[in-house]
Amino acid sequence: MDWSSTLLQVIDLRSFSSVWYWMAVAVVWSSVSHFVLGIPYDLIQRAKRHGGQGLIDLEDVVRVNVNRFMHIGETAGLFLASFATFLLTGLLVLGFFYWIELAQAIFLLAFPLSIVGMVTLSTARKISVSDPKGEDLFGVLHRHRLITQSIGMCALFVTAMFGMYENLDVARHLIQ
């Protein structure tokens, strides 16, 4: 038994046929939809159900995270946007012009995440300006989670369809 060939079979570098890639996609989108502005959704639900100190704690955590996002956006926003655009463009060219499967897989994961990042910054800015409390805050956070989950569902659908196409295309070339 050759350990290197066994290891390469377990860790398949072809992204769309690798169980590791799909596990990573599931974990990423599960985490992104669970954390709303960096706040666990169960904390939001508990504050909504019980109010009192839970609501005060939620409002404090939201204020801290919103201030953090606003500070990052104001100090490094232009640099981060430029760097993310550079990386996404590089992945797009490598993946869909030079047809490198790993770049396609990373692009199909990173591009929707960049959209979620922009939505998160927009929601943080909205909260910073309007400073909602109580039910209004729950509405803003719920709307943000719904948008994030919608982006995730679309991204998962597109990634799964493209991944199936790639796997069928590879199988077609192997048969010929």
Side-chain angles (χ1 to χ4, degrees):
M1 176 187 280
D2 184 17
W3 287 102
S4 62
S5 66
T6 304
L7 184 64
L8 288 176
Q9 286 175 353
V10 171
I11 304 173
D12 187 8
L13 296 178
R14 285 189 351 92
S15 303
F16 296 114
S17 64
S18 172
V19 69
W20 299 107
Y21 173 73
W22 293 107
M23 285 173 52
V25 168
V27 167
V28 164
W29 283 111
S30 170
S31 297
V32 167
S33 67
H34 178 68
F35 290 96
V36 180
L37 292 176
I39 303 161
Y41 195 66
D42 60 297
L43 183 71
I44 298 168
Q45 289 296 95
R46 192 174 332 119
K48 187 173 185 177
R49 264 190 245 118
H50 302 296
Q53 187 61 42
L55 179 59
I56 294 168
D57 292 344
L58 175 67
E59 289 173 350
D60 290 342
V61 172
V62 167
R63 181 183 45 77
V64 168
N65 283 354
V66 163
N67 289 341
R68 194 179 103 236
F69 284 123
M70 295 306 295
H71 177 71
I72 291 169
E74 290 167 1
T75 57
L78 184 60
F79 173 75
L80 288 174
S82 301
F83 189 67
T85 303
F86 169 76
L87 285 178
L88 288 172
T89 303
L91 287 170
L92 183 71
V93 169
L94 287 172
F96 298 98
F97 183 72
Y98 291 107
W99 219 248
I100 297 173
E101 188 173 331
L102 183 61
Q104 292 169 344
I106 294 172
F107 178 82
L108 289 172
L109 187 58
F111 180 69
L113 287 174
S114 69
I115 296 171
V116 168
M118 290 185 291
V119 169
T120 299
L121 190 58
S122 173
T123 303
R125 184 171 289 118
K126 179 180 181 180
I127 291 173
S128 176
V129 169
S130 66
D131 194 29
K133 302 286 184 198
E135 287 299 319
D136 293 335
L137 180 62
F138 294 135
V140 171
L141 295 175
H142 180 71
R143 205 168 12 263
H144 177 76
R145 184 170 194 241
L146 190 64
I147 291 169
T148 300
Q149 287 178 330
S150 299
I151 293 168
M153 285 189 304
C154 292
L156 283 170
F157 179 77
V158 169
T159 303
M161 291 298 112
F162 188 80
M164 281 191 277
Y165 169 77
E166 280 294 305
N167 288 334
L168 291 173
D169 193 47
V170 166
R172 183 179 59 87
H173 286 314
L174 289 176
I175 291 172
Q176 291 177 351

